[in-house]
Amino acid sequence: MARDMGPLPRPSISAEPGTVIPRGRPVTLQCRGPVGVYAFRLEREDRSEHKDNYNVSQASPSESEARFRIDSVSKGNAGRYCCLYKKSTSWSKRSDYLELVVKETSGDTDSPVTEPDSSAGPTQRPSDNSHNEHAPASQGLSAEHLYILIAVSVVFLFCLLLLVLFFLHRQNQIKQ
């Protein structure tokens, strides 16, 4: 069993190339925490959606990180985001909030537009937001998806081998 090492340090969140993004352009939100993190979670302030990322990399000898890419920034995915992480069996506290702002690029408007604040609710959607176009997308495949892909490939190759053996056996029977 893991020993209780006290509260986990809070993660940090940043945005590349920045927090004010022209509408339709991509942005990558970066979550950082201590080494040994199992997964990072990017969460909207209203907790209406979140995205888990198990593709954790080591940013430095003392830090882990995960990246969440939003392919096209819009009013629908602007707003306040925070990170938290899972280490062992515990979730950390939330990071400070990062405000993602959409900069309008058309017409006379050059002031940023953000999503209006929503009241926080206790419910969350499932972590699979693949059906939601506004959900932040992680780069690469998660470990779970990678395992599924490998398992399906192995089963396919096994079936192919059985099919070849069946045809060889059948051809051998025909010759006799």
Side-chain angles (χ1 to χ4, degrees):
M1 296 224 155
R3 293 182 300 160
D4 186 14
M5 303 296 276
L8 297 171
R10 287 177 66 182
S12 65
I13 184 171
S14 61
E16 291 178 3
T19 57
V20 179
I21 306 295
R23 185 169 35 126
R25 302 291 298 172
V27 66
T28 300
L29 301 180
Q30 225 177 23
C31 298
R32 288 187 174 219
V35 171
V37 167
Y38 172 69
F40 279 94
R41 174 172 288 176
L42 180 68
E43 205 172 71
R44 294 282 298 262
E45 180 181 36
D46 61 4
R47 298 187 192 161
S48 63
E49 58 186 63
H50 67 264
K51 178 73 177 167
D52 291 343
N53 187 341
Y54 297 92
N55 188 16
V56 177
S57 60
Q58 193 165 343
S60 73
S62 61
E63 270 189 322
S64 297
E65 77 173 9
R67 301 166 71 84
F68 298 86
R69 181 174 167 88
I70 300 175
D71 292 321
S72 179
V73 173
S74 67
K75 287 182 187 180
N77 54 27
R80 292 167 49 97
Y81 288 88
C82 70
C83 289
L84 54 158
Y85 62 86
K86 189 173 189 177
K87 187 171 181 179
S88 188
T89 58
S90 303
W91 283 97
S92 70
K93 292 184 178 179
R94 289 174 175 80
S95 67
D96 291 331
Y97 281 93
L98 176 139
E99 180 86 26
L100 183 60
V101 179
V102 179
K103 183 177 180 185
E104 290 296 327
T105 56
S106 61
D108 301 331
T109 315
D110 67 350
S111 63
V113 176
T114 59
E115 187 178 68
D117 287 340
S118 305
S119 61
T123 60
Q124 289 183 338
R125 292 182 189 159
S127 63
D128 177 18
N129 286 324
S130 58
H131 64 281
N132 186 339
E133 69 182 57
H134 301 303
S138 64
Q139 290 182 326
L141 292 173
S142 70
E144 182 180 354
H145 290 133
L146 192 58
Y147 294 142
I148 291 170
L149 185 63
I150 290 170
V152 168
S153 298
V154 167
V155 168
F156 175 77
L157 289 174
F158 183 73
C159 289
L160 189 62
L161 176 66
L162 285 176
L163 188 63
V164 168
L165 288 174
F166 172 75
F167 281 122
L168 287 174
H169 177 72
R170 188 84 172 126
Q171 197 154 14
N172 195 17
Q173 278 183 339
I174 292 173
K175 284 182 181 177
Q176 291 177 359

